[in-house]
């Protein structure tokens, strides 16, 4: 999760010495999680759980004290799609034909291509990419 902000337009006559980053999993339930240099106006938060909505605000600190909180921002890290449905396998000579239906929901995330591989002389090698929106893949 990436946050960006602008420095305050009024500092009370004293230079900003740091920013505090607040985060919570409930609106109004944020706690300070980090202190940022006054030369930065961005923060990357990577210790998050997918599917949980996080709420953030920033404060500016100078020799006089800490400002009121910025506006509150919120975001929900990605949610994995539902599982593909109706998987079936069929032998066709030396090949296995796999067929399936797309997931019932992508939860707002794009489905990315998977890699199709084949076994050649006891080694797996890439043969091409297959888009999960298609309904089959042949494995050798």
């Amino acid at each position: 999760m990436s946050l960006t902000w602008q420095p305050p337009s009024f500092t009370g006559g004293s230079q900003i010495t740091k920013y505090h980053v607040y985060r919570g999993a409930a609106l109004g339930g944020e706690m300070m999680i980090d202190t940022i240099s006054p030369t930065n106006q961005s923060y990357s938060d990577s210790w998050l759980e997918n599917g949980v909505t996080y709420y953030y605000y920033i404060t500016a600190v100078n020799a006089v004290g800490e400002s009121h909180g910025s506006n509150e921002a919120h975001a929900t890290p990605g949610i994995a799609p539902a599982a593909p449905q109706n998987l079936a396998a069929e032998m066709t000579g030396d090949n296995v034909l796999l067929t399936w239906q797309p997931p019932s929901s992508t939860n707002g995330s794009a489905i990315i291509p998977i890699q199709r591989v084949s076994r050649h002389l006891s080694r797996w090698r890439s043969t091409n990419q297959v888009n999960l929106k298609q309904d089959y893949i042949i494995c050798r």
Side-chain angles (χ1 to χ4, degrees):
M1 187 78 58
S2 295
L3 305 171
T4 59
W5 62 91
Q6 297 296 315
S9 57
F10 180 71
T11 66
S14 184
Q15 253 185 319
I16 301 299
T17 58
K18 58 188 165 190
Y19 293 102
H20 287 162
V21 179
Y22 290 79
R23 175 186 72 200
L27 186 62
E30 298 88 355
M31 296 175 45
M32 189 175 77
I33 60 167
D34 214 339
T35 299
I36 305 298
S37 163
T39 59
N40 291 333
Q41 280 92 46
S42 66
Y43 182 76
S44 182
D45 192 6
S46 57
W47 296 97
L48 305 175
E49 184 178 332
N50 286 340
V52 174
T53 300
Y54 292 93
Y55 299 86
Y56 295 89
Y57 68 85
I58 308 295
T59 62
V61 180
N62 66 13
V64 178
E66 186 171 12
S67 72
H68 291 287
S70 67
N71 61 298
E72 196 165 51
H74 68 278
T76 306
I79 302 171
Q85 300 175 353
N86 304 319
L87 175 64
E90 177 185 338
M91 286 299 298
T92 57
D94 292 355
N95 300 316
V96 176
L97 175 65
L98 300 176
T99 60
W100 64 87
Q101 299 298 311
S104 59
S105 171
T106 64
N107 292 319
S109 298
I111 301 293
I112 58 173
I114 61 171
Q115 190 72 34
R116 180 165 62 179
V117 295
S118 64
R119 191 169 183 157
H120 178 70
L121 300 175
S122 301
R123 297 182 70 188
W124 289 97
R125 67 179 177 176
S126 175
T127 54
N128 68 356
Q129 286 195 342
V130 174
N131 191 315
L132 262 181
K133 291 181 182 175
Q134 295 176 346
D135 64 355
Y136 68 91
I137 182 172
I138 297 175
C139 301
R140 291 184 183 187

